[in-house]
Amino acid sequence: MDVVEVVPSVEQYAFTFGGVAPLRRVTPGTALRVWSDDAFCGVLRKTSDLSSEKVDLRFVNPQTGPFFVEGAEPGDTLALHFVAMEPARDWGASAAIPFFGGLTGTDRVATLQDPLPDTTWIYELDRAANTVTFAARHTDLEIALPVEPMLGTVGVAPPGGEVRSSLVPERFGGNMDTPQMRPGTTCFLGVNVEGALFSVGDGHYRQGEGEACGTAVEGAMTTTVIVELVKGGAPAWPRLEDDTHWMTVGSSRPLEDAWRIGQVELVRWFGELYGLHPMDAYQLLSQITETPIANVVDANYSAVVKARKTLLPRAAAYGGLHDDLRRRAAALL
């Protein structure tokens, strides 16, 4: 399988889902190797670089794309299989941004408190050890943490001509910030416009569930992804499959509504996978699901609902496409 290399110029960065002309047209079955910048567009390089001085929140989470998928029409299902994610720089950055994050006052959670201190942390990458180093700013503690690459943003153009910020997660995908979006995962998204117009970005060298302070170890990323298209069958919300779990992602506020969306979508998916009546799926999933919080900091919050495959009879989604993509991916590694 040929791999198409895509490295955008700064002028080609997309900062929205929808409203951007295609960067490139691709056919289903194409493997892309795309470079994406970090969430800060690379401006936080040392601890003295402060987000209040360097970061323009109108231009964060730069996307590589959008890609026009030949033959994609509204109601179809776009499948993106992530083959590999490689740190593209030898450092990542994280920051406490004033009035942004899960444990501070924000424009949505208004308080009379002062903002938390504007602070930047730089994580040095050790490629040989495959670690990034947390270096405390106020003590002498340093900890080497394993690199666990993921993408914060994966999405398609929204319906109805909408244009949404790359900070937003919604039913079109977007800034879901789930560590489940990693190599070995297949993401299924409903197509809303001709060509799907998908884009990816917001590479994280690692992130805890919830992304509590609002930023992960943000880093430029080189991502290899196989693009496929299923005619029809569009899911209402993002679905994920890996070798061990069936997963759905809901995004909303408050957090319990994001959880509800993910639960309902997995009930629907289990109706397709196992022919289950919704009440039976509701009962079964009540006993087996795991629900990691993806983020509690974005414009909407995101929750993942997971069901472990080993607890269930074997099933195949979209004609067993994930397994097929895994086999194709093996030839690229």
Side-chain angles (χ1 to χ4, degrees):
M1 188 189 309
D2 293 332
V3 180
V4 178
E5 302 269 352
V6 180
V7 180
S9 66
V10 173
E11 293 74 24
Q12 292 174 319
Y13 291 174
F15 293 96
T16 62
F17 291 94
V20 181
L23 178 65
R24 190 183 187 106
R25 300 174 78 100
V26 299
T27 57
T30 298
L32 298 172
R33 191 169 190 263
V34 302
W35 185 93
S36 58
D37 208 344
D38 70 44
F40 308 117
C41 294
V43 299
L44 299 185
R45 295 173 174 265
K46 52 187 184 297
T47 56
S48 59
D49 291 333
L50 300 180
S51 58
S52 59
E53 299 171 357
K54 299 277 188 175
V55 177
D56 185 337
L57 289 177
R58 297 173 301 169
F59 304 108
V60 293
N61 280 1
Q63 301 298 292
T64 297
F67 295 94
F68 185 103
V69 181
E70 301 286 359
E73 299 173 306
D76 291 343
T77 303
L78 179 70
L80 301 174
H81 181 76
F82 297 103
V83 179
M85 297 176 189
E86 307 158 30
R89 291 195 182 112
D90 289 333
W91 50 268
S94 191
I97 300 171
F99 295 121
F100 182 75
L103 299 179
T104 184
T106 71
D107 61 343
R108 303 286 189 93
V109 184
T111 72
L112 292 175
Q113 295 169 309
D114 291 333
L116 294 177
D118 190 353
T119 311
T120 299
W121 290 262
I122 299 298
Y123 288 74
E124 299 295 339
L125 175 69
D126 184 330
R127 291 187 183 273
N130 199 36
T131 60
V132 286
T133 299
F134 164 76
R137 292 295 311 277
H138 305 290
T139 65
D140 293 330
L141 181 65
E142 291 193 359
I143 302 173
L145 301 171
V147 172
E148 296 177 355
M150 54 163 282
L151 291 181
T153 50
V154 176
V156 295
E162 287 189 3
V163 177
R164 304 297 296 274
S165 164
S166 54
L167 281 172
V168 175
E170 239 276 3
R171 63 178 65 230
F172 59 85
N175 192 31
M176 296 175 283
D177 281 322
T178 170
Q180 307 295 333
M181 202 73 72
R182 58 195 177 193
T185 294
T186 303
C187 176
F188 300 102
L189 297 167
V191 175
N192 302 305
V193 303
E194 185 181 0
L197 297 179
F198 81 89
S199 57
V200 301
D202 189 25
H204 297 172
Y205 295 172
R206 66 169 298 112
Q207 179 208 298
E209 292 173 355
E211 198 185 25
C213 80
T215 58
V217 181
E218 310 283 346
M221 194 77 77
T222 300
T223 300
T224 304
V225 57
I226 302 174
V227 181
E228 263 301 355
L229 181 67
V230 178
K231 298 303 290 181
W237 288 83
R239 296 175 175 179
L240 307 178
E241 182 183 357
D242 64 15
D243 293 347
T244 61
H245 288 84
W246 306 107
M247 296 172 274
T248 52
V249 186
S251 297
S252 188
R253 282 202 186 196
L255 182 58
E256 57 262 34
D257 280 346
W259 172 85
R260 289 185 180 108
I261 290 166
Q263 293 282 348
V264 168
E265 186 63 17
L266 199 54
V267 165
R268 290 172 176 158
W269 203 6
F270 267 43
E272 298 172 22
L273 291 169
Y274 298 106
L276 281 174
H277 185 280
M279 290 302 295
D280 287 328
Y282 182 26
Q283 172 58 218
L284 174 62
L285 291 170
S286 294
Q287 313 312 328
I288 67 172
T289 53
E290 309 158 51
T291 311
I293 298 170
N295 88 79
V296 287
V297 295
D298 294 337
N300 287 322
Y301 299 158
S302 298
V304 178
V305 182
K306 306 170 57 175
R308 202 181 320 153
K309 288 180 174 179
T310 55
L311 299 175
L312 299 158
R314 183 169 177 79
Y318 302 104
L321 183 55
H322 169 74
D323 290 341
D324 178 52
L325 289 167
R326 288 287 276 163
R327 286 190 289 271
R328 286 191 248 170
L332 300 177
L333 295 173

